[in-house]
Amino acid sequence: MKNILKMRIQQFANRLLRRLEKKVDLNYQLNEDSLALNQLLRLFDNNIFVPLTKWSISPKEVLHICNDLVINKRTNIIEFGCGFSTLCIAQLLKNNRIKASFVTIDNDIEWTKELTKILKRLNLEEFVKIIVAPISEVEKSISKNEQELWYDFNILNNELINISNFDLVIVDGPIGAITPYARYSAVPFLKEKLSDNYAIFLDDTHRDIEFEIAHEWHKSLGGEIKGYNRYYCLTNKNNFNVSPFGNKY
């Protein structure tokens, strides 16, 4: 009887400890994001509202991307899934007078129209090119397992035919729920277009499928891989650590 009571007390204590650890970790993450968001909003010096939702890339990931862009002197950027990060990167290119090509891809035509309006109000149209690519049947050569859909392969091929040497890749689309391994195709599609020195950011790797995708890409590309709570970063060079202050992996 005493052993059973002792075991139950221990189980209760373990559950309580796990809840406390989760709460501490969540508070730590929120503090990281608050610091990052404060830094990012300094990019904007007007009263334009910048949309930021629970579906957006976290502020600390966007700050990590911006750090990488500046410190590692990226010049050819491609993004899958546009939004808050798009505005921050375009504004950074403008503010710091960085000469870089920036392409962002999305399947939602209504959202891209709205984003275009915001870019125009911020005078950022010249710093980013938006490609609208509907979701369609994925090419088998760049698919994984039961994946059925991705961005329209022909549109992307035509739009990017003369662009290569991408050195900064951001993958936050398409929406993971549309098909298993929805984001897998980005790296197989770009593999021959990657620079000799690149960084690839994959969002939402707290989810099992995105976590698996990150490690599949690592097997394919080699180099270094690091996980930061909600996202992973893959690089092929041992560059200076550009992760935001306080960001742990």
Side-chain angles (χ1 to χ4, degrees):
M1 188 68 178
K2 287 182 179 180
N3 287 338
I4 293 174
L5 181 60
K6 184 178 180 181
M7 181 180 68
R8 288 179 177 172
I9 291 172
Q10 185 63 50
Q11 288 173 342
F12 175 77
N14 288 340
R15 287 197 299 269
L16 196 63
L17 182 60
R18 284 195 295 270
R19 288 176 187 171
L20 182 61
E21 287 173 343
K22 285 181 181 179
K23 187 174 181 180
V24 169
D25 190 53
L26 178 60
N27 287 337
Y28 187 88
Q29 290 179 47
L30 290 172
N31 186 53
E32 284 182 321
D33 276 330
S34 294
L35 290 170
L37 184 58
N38 181 62
Q39 180 76 358
L40 292 168
L41 291 179
R42 290 164 62 96
L43 290 167
F44 304 92
D45 58 359
N46 47 54
N47 295 320
I48 296 290
F49 176 71
V50 180
L52 180 62
T53 72
K54 70 175 183 177
W55 304 111
S56 303
I57 293 181
S58 69
K60 63 185 173 185
E61 182 177 356
V62 179
L63 182 57
H64 193 163
I65 291 165
C66 290
N67 284 352
D68 183 84
L69 194 163
V70 172
I71 294 171
N72 290 317
K73 297 180 172 60
R74 305 303 185 187
T75 59
N76 217 350
I77 309 154
I78 187 167
E79 175 185 56
F80 296 89
C82 60
F84 176 64
S85 54
T86 312
L87 296 173
C88 290
I89 293 168
Q91 189 71 55
L92 177 64
L93 296 178
K94 179 182 178 181
N95 289 1
N96 285 29
R97 298 179 182 178
I98 297 170
K99 292 182 179 180
S101 166
F102 179 26
V103 175
T104 187
I105 296 157
D106 207 284
N107 61 285
D108 190 333
I109 190 167
E110 293 305 317
W111 168 234
T112 56
K113 286 179 180 177
E114 196 59 38
L115 186 67
T116 299
K117 290 178 185 176
I118 300 172
L119 288 166
K120 285 181 178 177
R121 290 200 293 270
L122 292 167
N123 296 314
L124 295 175
E125 313 101 287
E126 67 180 279
F127 296 95
V128 56
K129 177 182 179 180
I130 298 177
I131 298 173
V132 179
I135 298 299
S136 63
E137 186 176 349
V138 66
E139 290 283 322
K140 293 300 180 186
S141 60
I142 59 170
S143 67
K144 176 175 172 60
N145 296 349
E146 63 267 39
Q147 181 189 1
E148 297 178 348
L149 304 168
W150 196 56
Y151 298 108
D152 189 294
F153 185 82
N154 292 323
I155 289 176
L156 293 189
N157 259 342
N158 290 335
E159 291 284 352
L160 303 175
I161 191 168
N162 295 319
I163 307 177
S164 59
N165 295 319
F166 288 109
D167 53 12
L168 180 54
V169 181
I170 304 129
V171 184
D172 188 34
I175 297 171
I178 65 167
T179 182
Y181 301 97
R183 298 178 182 178
Y184 172 77
S185 301
V187 163
F189 175 76
L190 290 174
K191 191 171 182 180
E192 301 304 317
K193 288 179 171 287
L194 290 175
S195 168
D196 291 336
N197 183 359
Y198 62 77
I200 301 171
F201 289 83
L202 175 62
D203 195 39
D204 296 316
T205 52
H206 58 295
R207 302 190 303 222
D208 290 343
I209 283 184
E210 278 74 12
F211 178 87
E212 185 179 344
I213 288 171
H215 288 275
E216 283 291 321
W217 288 351
H218 183 226
K219 287 179 185 176
S220 172
L221 297 174
E224 186 176 75
I225 182 171
K226 289 183 179 178
Y228 301 85
N229 291 322
R230 243 184 71 171
Y231 67 97
Y232 264 78
C233 178
L234 294 86
T235 58
N236 68 328
K237 297 284 185 181
N238 188 21
N239 291 320
F240 181 75
N241 185 352
V242 298
S243 59
F245 174 77
N247 201 9
K248 60 182 180 179
Y249 62 90

